[in-house]
Amino acid sequence: MRDILNHITFDPLLDNGWLIMLAIALFIAALSAGVAQLKSYFARLVAGLFLMLALLNPQALEQDRQAVPDTLLVISDKTESMQIEGRQALSQAIEQEISEKLGLAENLDIITVDIPPDDKGSLLQKALIDGLAGIPKSRLAGIIALTDGRAHDITEQSAQIIPPEIPFHAIIIGNIDARDRRISAIKAPQYGVVGEKAEFELRVDDPGHEGERARIIVQLNGELKARFPITIGQSVSIPLEIERRGSNTVEMRVEGIEGELTLNNNLFVSEILGIRDR
């Protein structure tokens, strides 16, 4: 009986206000007939109930429900650093295994979003936003990221992108002991006065080897200007005298070490515009 009632809905033929007024009038009429002890009391009451029921316009509700699958988001890093030491092949094998095993689960879709090569590095947050944009929050089952662990667009606000109840798993691909020095500019002026010095500020990172020494080579317009040691993980200021008017090319390189993954991150190149002080 309860199941039958759960499948009944009403589509009244009159506004609620009119239905309430009519119900009050029928109640008063039935009450008056009862007080007067009229023989038609019961018939009038039944007729009033049937009239109200007809005006309520009951309808049988038929529901055609279809299970909507949950969605797993897989983020696959395709940047240049993933081409080292067979990382990309390993990533593809893991991605294939995820698709084969989790693809057998009922009511689960798998969506893969790639992190494409970019001059700015591995833009994990951008790929995450792009992937989540096409998945309803109620259907998101989890997120798996296949990457070498370097992400260059992560901020303090990145954690707010993922709903707190959604699990996030990162599969880090690569040799944990591998070394990869990286030189980055903290301050790189775009112009300077000819004959005066412009101040550059750099830092060399080599995870796990902070405090050790590394050698920096500085060139201006192809000419060697300095070679000196710095401390890894600490910023250093490098003053350079602007030699000529117009474009000046500044190259700063940290020397590589044996067994380093790649030397692509060891070089910083910048253009500074020389202007004359009038």
Side-chain angles (χ1 to χ4, degrees):
M1 181 65 178
R2 181 175 296 178
D3 291 340
I4 296 176
L5 293 177
N6 289 337
H7 289 79
I8 294 178
T9 185
F10 295 93
D11 185 16
L13 300 177
L14 298 176
D15 292 336
N16 292 337
W18 287 103
L19 288 175
I20 294 173
M21 293 176 60
L22 182 58
I24 294 174
L26 291 174
F27 176 76
I28 293 175
L31 182 62
S32 299
V35 173
Q37 297 183 352
L38 298 178
K39 294 181 180 182
S40 60
Y41 160 72
F42 184 73
R44 292 182 180 183
L45 179 60
V46 173
L49 291 176
F50 273 105
L51 176 61
M52 288 300 302
L53 184 61
L55 292 175
L56 288 174
N57 191 24
Q59 298 179 2
L61 178 63
E62 295 184 3
Q63 296 183 350
D64 184 13
R65 295 184 178 180
Q66 183 177 4
V68 178
D70 290 332
T71 301
L72 171 67
L73 176 61
V74 177
I75 300 177
S76 182
D77 192 345
K78 306 293 186 183
T79 57
E80 293 181 357
S81 61
M82 287 293 290
Q83 312 303 321
I84 304 171
E85 289 190 324
R87 294 178 181 179
Q88 194 60 63
L90 180 57
S91 176
Q92 290 175 351
I94 295 174
E95 187 177 337
Q96 181 66 27
E97 186 174 357
I98 291 174
S99 298
E100 291 177 354
K101 292 187 175 181
L102 296 184
L104 298 176
E106 296 183 0
N107 298 325
L108 181 66
D109 289 338
I110 300 177
I111 295 179
T112 301
V113 175
D114 292 340
I115 304 177
D118 193 287
D119 293 338
K120 298 179 181 179
S122 298
L123 304 184
L124 174 61
Q125 177 173 294
K126 182 179 184 301
L128 183 61
I129 294 175
D130 292 343
L132 292 177
I135 304 174
K137 181 180 177 181
S138 59
R139 291 180 53 193
L140 182 60
I143 303 170
I144 297 178
L146 305 176
T147 176
D148 60 1
R150 290 190 179 274
H152 302 93
D153 62 342
I154 299 300
T155 63
E156 295 181 356
Q157 289 72 35
S158 298
Q160 302 176 6
I161 298 175
I162 305 174
E165 69 277 8
I166 299 301
F168 178 89
H169 302 280
I171 300 178
I172 307 301
I173 299 173
N175 183 359
I176 191 172
D177 296 322
R179 298 186 65 174
D180 182 18
R181 288 179 170 178
R182 179 181 298 270
I183 186 170
S184 55
I186 299 174
K187 177 182 178 183
Q190 296 181 349
Y191 61 89
V193 178
V194 175
E196 296 185 4
K197 292 183 178 181
E199 196 82 15
F200 287 80
E201 188 174 357
L202 301 178
R203 185 181 68 241
V204 172
D205 294 309
D206 189 358
H209 297 271
E210 290 80 4
E212 296 183 9
R213 305 287 278 178
R215 188 174 296 276
I216 287 286
I217 299 172
V218 181
Q219 290 182 309
L220 179 63
N221 299 320
E223 181 182 349
L224 178 64
K225 292 297 181 180
R227 180 187 284 114
F228 55 90
I230 66 163
T231 302
I232 294 175
Q234 297 181 7
S235 61
V236 58
S237 294
I238 302 175
L240 279 180
E241 183 177 338
I242 306 303
E243 297 179 339
R244 66 190 185 193
R245 183 179 180 183
S247 179
N248 291 262
T249 302
V250 178
E251 297 182 27
M252 299 188 185
R253 177 168 55 89
V254 56
E255 291 184 347
I257 54 174
E258 183 178 355
E260 189 170 359
L261 287 176
T262 176
L263 300 179
N264 293 341
N265 302 318
N266 294 37
L267 177 66
F268 167 76
V269 179
S270 176
E271 296 289 334
I272 182 170
L273 184 65
I275 58 176
R276 294 194 180 277
D277 187 5
R278 295 182 180 179

